[in-house]
């Protein structure tokens, strides 16, 4: 009986530790995203990279739909989309 109680106790501690790490990592990720957003919003348009016909480009791998993507090994965040006559003309990243 003591072995079963010990096993359950150790299992409970392990689950609590793993949950704590998951919580801390998600909080850190949210903090980083907020910092990136403030940096991007304070940056001028001249420091952004324009992309056109981004949805037709085969070299682009989307990470988060229409928010982040990889292009030739570099990760970009979509900051602004420019529409012309209802068609996506370009995106600044």
């Amino acid at each position: 009986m003591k072995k079963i109680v010990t096993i359950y106790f150790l299992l409970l501690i392990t689950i609590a530790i793993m949950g704590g790490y998951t919580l801390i990592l998600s909080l850190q990720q949210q903090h980083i995203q907020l910092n990136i957003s403030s940096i991007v919003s304070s940056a001028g348009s001249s420091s952004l990279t324009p992309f056109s016909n981004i949805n037709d480009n085969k070299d682009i791998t989307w990470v988060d739909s229409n928010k982040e993507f990889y292009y030739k090994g570099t990760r970009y965040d979509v900051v602004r989309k420019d529409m012309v006559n209802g068609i996506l003309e370009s995106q600044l990243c």
Side-chain angles (χ1 to χ4, degrees):
M1 183 68 176
K2 286 183 180 181
K3 287 183 181 181
I4 293 174
V5 172
T6 304
I7 290 172
Y8 281 129
F9 181 71
L10 290 175
L11 185 62
L12 181 65
I13 289 174
T14 303
I15 291 171
I17 290 172
M18 290 173 48
Y21 282 128
T22 304
L23 177 65
I24 289 170
L25 289 176
S26 70
L27 290 175
Q28 286 179 338
Q29 183 179 18
Q30 288 177 353
H31 179 69
I32 290 170
Q33 287 175 343
L34 288 173
N35 285 341
I36 296 285
S37 296
S38 66
I39 290 170
V40 167
S41 65
S42 66
S45 296
S46 62
S47 64
L48 299 175
T49 304
F51 283 90
S52 51
N53 297 330
I54 198 167
N55 292 329
D56 298 332
N57 197 327
K58 304 288 186 215
D59 294 330
I60 290 177
T61 305
W62 287 96
V63 177
D64 190 3
S65 63
N66 297 325
K67 292 183 181 179
E68 298 176 356
F69 62 90
Y70 281 102
Y71 177 70
K72 294 185 178 180
T74 304
R75 189 172 185 159
Y76 292 91
D77 291 324
V78 176
V79 176
R80 189 176 77 215
K81 297 179 182 182
D82 295 328
M83 303 289 279
V84 176
N85 295 328
I87 299 172
L88 183 63
E89 179 69 26
S90 66
Q91 296 180 337
L92 292 176
C93 306

